[in-house]
Amino acid sequence: MCGICFCLHTQPNVAPIDYTPLNARGPDFQKQYGPIALTPDLYVTFAVSVLSIRGFKQEQPFVDDDGNILIYNGEIYEAPFQIKESDNDGVLLFEHFKQCSTDMDICQLISQLEGCFAFIYYQKQTNCLYYGRDRLGRRSLMYSMIDDNQSNLKMILTSVRLQQFSYTELDSSILHKLSVKSTNSTFQIDTISYVKPTIDIISSEPPDALLTELENDSVFQNISTTFLNQLQAAVRRRLANLPTLCRRCKRSTDGTLRPENGCPHPKLAILFSGGIDSSVLTALADRILPSNEPIDLLNVSFFSDVRAPPPADRQTGLQALTELNPARQWNFVQIDVDVNELRHYRENVIKTVIYPCSTVLDDSIGSALWFAARGSGKLHPVNTVYESTAEVLLSGLGADEQLAGYSRHRSTFQAHGWKGLENELEMEINRISKRNLGRDDRVISSLGKEVRFPFLDERLVNYLRSVPIWYKADLRLGRGIGEKYLLRYIACHSLSLFQSSKYPKRAIQFGSRIAKLENRKEKASDQCARLTIDDED
């Protein structure tokens, strides 16, 4: 995980900027590079912070003798070029950027990448800046256009909010190109749509029979087998390049992240409610990682009264723990947060990284994710103080959006049938970058950690798009059965998660009990006064 930024300014010395939020994303290395003169009156300065995960500890920006520059944040799992587990994907991407001579060359290159990333590339020959996010928007990038006569700043593009300017999240479906006019030192921004993959839809008509009656049907069996294989491959891709050192031991090395004899501490943590999504990811991670690797399970709860019974996610988390492989060391981390601690960290950290998201729902989910990802709590059952040493986290985000897991999907199905539900799920994926992913990336990365989303693997997403909705969910069936039916089926029949496969959907804000903790009258869609940050005009 990294923080990346460029500032466009009208004088050689850029106005002072506090890069603290950017640097928090990359604790291993920070640097400012520039200014680079685009015209006699227009300059660009780059800033980057690096969290090294794969290959060797690698400084940025990437700069060559011709003056090309790349700053890059993310993980590339598949590409039109070979990437080994020990390779630094940023180095390889830079080499292939330099082979691009046209806008479409760059657009084609980015369109073929599979992974979660954001980038800023300066092409010296054309004096242009190209920038963007992966097509699903799993890494944050946002911009501010500045019209202030008191400042020499004209534009900031950054992973996280810097200064008190107003920002907008960058559209993840398009490549952006900033070019300058040397005659009058102005600039313009053009966009090019990424190339969308072709998806062959499985031919089928809506069945009269319930999905429970079609489990032995050859079509459903093929779909469930392929789904399991695709999901397991998605998890494997996200675990293949884990460092062999935890974040604490990494600090004392000579730069290698994968020494042959690694440390015995956890390198992976899972955001673990005990629900179907996180339980399936945990069972698949258990299949993939060596049996001697411990894994942290991060379970967060909020309390206004310490005498209150544990919230639902704590109960389901502990129940799900009993279904996991007993031969592995599972560190079940009980993260208990009271109102005072919540208010302190929201005011000093969380509201800055949630921005520009601003609803009550953003506050609840963002705050819950921040405390869970921090990983500070007590180990079950010994109740000793514990802090997770893992820098890589897995999240189950994306399962509900693709497999009809939310209660609103049931309402849509009842009102508009299969076609309405299908359209609703397509809309969910198209808006997930602005609704969820940018926020979640900023929140978790502010802790110097990286979150990965197996359910949002490109190959898995494209496969699920090819599967008719009536093979993925059947909302004619009750809660805890019909929603995410396909996922529940493989959990029960392939992963032996007999109890976890039956839990109904419970959103993190309710399962952790953060919702209504401070104000029982507010609605999720309301603007949240607790997140208010004053913008400079």
Side-chain angles (χ1 to χ4, degrees):
M1 181 56 60
C2 303
I4 61 175
C5 170
F6 81 67
C7 300
L8 199 64
H9 46 104
T10 57
Q11 297 173 4
N13 295 321
V14 66
I17 292 177
D18 180 8
Y19 288 110
T20 300
L22 192 78
N23 291 341
R25 295 173 61 93
D28 295 332
F29 178 80
Q30 300 91 33
K31 186 174 183 178
Q32 290 84 55
Y33 187 84
I36 306 295
L38 303 178
T39 73
D41 300 306
L42 204 58
Y43 303 81
V44 62
T45 296
F46 300 92
V48 62
S49 63
V50 177
L51 171 64
S52 298
I53 297 289
R54 65 193 296 173
F56 283 77
K57 291 182 181 179
Q58 179 69 52
E59 297 183 1
Q60 292 196 46
F62 303 107
V63 183
D64 69 4
D65 294 338
D66 295 325
N68 300 304
I69 300 169
L70 172 68
I71 53 177
Y72 162 78
N73 166 37
E75 298 285 335
I76 297 173
Y77 304 117
E78 300 290 342
F81 47 86
Q82 184 179 14
I83 303 178
K84 301 175 184 177
E85 291 178 9
S86 58
D87 286 336
N88 184 288
D89 48 349
V91 172
L92 295 177
L93 180 60
F94 188 39
E95 291 302 315
H96 283 78
F97 264 130
K98 292 187 291 183
Q99 299 172 21
C100 297
S101 56
T102 68
D103 295 349
M104 280 309 301
D105 287 342
I106 292 177
C107 188
Q108 288 277 4
L109 172 62
I110 298 302
S111 297
Q112 294 179 74
L113 300 179
E114 297 180 19
C116 41
F117 57 85
F119 70 93
I120 303 168
Y121 175 59
Y122 171 59
Q123 190 177 60
K124 174 65 175 178
Q125 183 178 3
T126 60
N127 208 27
C128 292
L129 287 153
Y130 296 87
Y131 52 94
R133 307 162 69 187
D134 69 78
R135 286 169 293 167
L136 286 171
R138 288 159 290 187
R139 293 294 175 254
S140 172
L141 205 56
M142 52 191 192
Y143 66 93
S144 179
M145 309 301 292
I146 301 162
D147 184 13
D148 182 357
N149 294 331
Q150 303 301 312
S151 172
N152 64 14
L153 283 167
K154 303 302 291 182
M155 177 183 175
I156 299 179
L157 180 73
T158 175
S159 302
V160 64
R161 189 182 208 202
L162 302 175
Q163 309 300 95
Q164 295 299 307
F165 298 118
S166 177
Y167 286 84
T168 302
E169 293 207 57
L170 199 69
D171 188 336
S172 66
S173 66
I174 51 181
L175 172 69
H176 299 73
K177 174 187 177 183
L178 187 152
S179 54
V180 298
K181 298 179 180 179
S182 57
T183 54
N184 58 4
S185 290
T186 59
F187 65 93
Q188 69 179 43
I189 298 172
D190 299 301
T191 60
I192 308 168
S193 296
Y194 290 138
V195 180
K196 294 183 178 180
T198 300
I199 299 173
D200 295 324
I201 307 298
I202 297 173
S203 179
S204 175
E205 292 295 325
D208 294 327
L210 297 173
L211 199 44
T212 48
E213 302 168 29
L214 298 176
E215 287 186 354
N216 295 323
D217 178 80
S218 61
V219 175
F220 180 80
Q221 284 297 311
N222 288 336
I223 289 171
S224 63
T225 300
T226 305
F227 174 56
L228 174 61
N229 292 338
Q230 290 270 11
L231 181 56
Q232 183 164 308
V235 175
R236 188 181 301 278
R237 280 191 280 273
R238 281 149 184 80
L239 301 185
N241 62 357
L242 280 183
T244 58
L245 297 174
C246 73
R247 73 184 314 180
R248 185 169 61 234
C249 295
K250 186 176 77 171
R251 304 290 185 261
S252 60
T253 68
D254 59 0
T256 181
L257 302 171
R258 298 176 59 85
E260 185 174 345
N261 296 315
C263 72
H265 311 120
K267 276 73 78 176
L268 175 70
I270 299 174
L271 300 172
F272 189 76
S273 67
I276 180 70
D277 309 339
S278 60
S279 294
V280 166
L281 294 185
T282 302
L284 291 175
D286 177 59
R287 284 185 170 189
I288 294 164
L289 287 186
S291 59
N292 63 343
E293 280 285 339
I295 298 176
D296 288 342
L297 305 178
L298 308 179
N299 184 280
V300 65
S301 295
F302 292 82
F303 293 86
S304 58
D305 185 346
V306 294
R307 296 168 297 180
D313 278 2
R314 178 63 47 79
Q315 299 176 46
T316 55
L318 290 172
Q319 290 168 358
L321 181 63
T322 65
E323 294 192 300
L324 300 178
N325 176 11
R328 184 180 296 278
Q329 178 185 332
W330 302 104
N331 296 325
F332 187 92
V333 188
Q334 302 175 117
I335 301 164
D336 296 336
V337 184
D338 64 30
V339 174
N340 292 331
E341 187 178 18
L342 168 62
R343 289 171 177 167
H344 171 79
Y345 283 103
R346 178 199 289 124
E347 184 61 31
N348 290 282
V349 180
I350 297 172
K351 73 177 186 180
T352 296
V353 294
I354 286 178
Y355 179 89
C357 298
S358 58
T359 67
V360 169
L361 183 64
D362 292 318
D363 176 43
S364 296
I365 296 178
S367 297
L369 285 176
W370 189 89
F371 281 103
R374 187 178 63 160
S376 297
K378 293 184 178 180
L379 279 182
H380 170 82
V382 294
N383 224 32
T384 55
V385 175
Y386 182 83
E387 183 167 351
S388 175
T389 58
E391 289 185 320
V392 175
L393 281 66
L394 293 186
S395 165
L397 181 66
D400 292 305
E401 286 78 2
Q402 298 178 85
L403 299 171
Y406 293 122
S407 58
R408 61 178 176 267
H409 296 151
R410 194 171 288 274
S411 300
T412 297
F413 176 71
Q414 291 170 349
H416 305 290
W418 293 114
K419 186 60 178 178
L421 180 59
E422 188 176 62
N423 293 338
E424 178 91 359
L425 298 189
E426 185 69 19
M427 180 183 69
E428 295 277 15
I429 286 296
N430 290 337
R431 70 183 183 182
I432 197 170
S433 64
K434 286 189 176 181
R435 189 178 178 91
N436 302 89
L437 288 167
R439 176 199 64 210
D440 294 358
D441 172 72
R442 290 189 297 276
V443 166
I444 294 173
S445 298
S446 70
L447 295 155
K449 301 184 179 185
E450 177 173 291
V451 61
R452 300 177 179 178
F453 307 98
F455 285 106
L456 293 174
D457 178 88
E458 282 90 345
R459 297 185 181 190
L460 180 63
V461 169
N462 290 338
Y463 175 69
L464 286 176
R465 276 177 159 160
S466 76
V467 175
I469 180 58
W470 43 87
Y471 285 118
K472 294 182 284 191
D474 191 341
L475 300 186
R476 296 171 295 179
L477 299 168
R479 288 187 72 242
I481 304 174
E483 72 275 16
K484 297 187 285 192
Y485 190 94
L486 183 60
L487 184 62
R488 296 182 189 280
Y489 181 84
I490 67 165
C492 181
H493 292 83
S494 301
L495 301 174
S496 300
L497 297 172
F498 304 114
Q499 186 62 41
S500 300
S501 65
K502 300 175 184 176
Y503 293 139
K505 166 66 181 176
R506 186 181 294 109
I508 187 173
Q509 64 270 26
F510 300 114
S512 68
R513 208 159 51 196
I514 190 174
K516 310 292 186 181
L517 188 66
E518 296 169 279
N519 184 345
R520 290 186 172 275
K521 295 182 179 180
E522 62 190 5
K523 297 179 181 178
S525 59
D526 290 346
Q527 290 296 298
C528 184
R530 297 182 294 276
L531 296 180
T532 301
I533 301 177
D534 293 330
D535 293 331
E536 289 184 357
D537 296 327

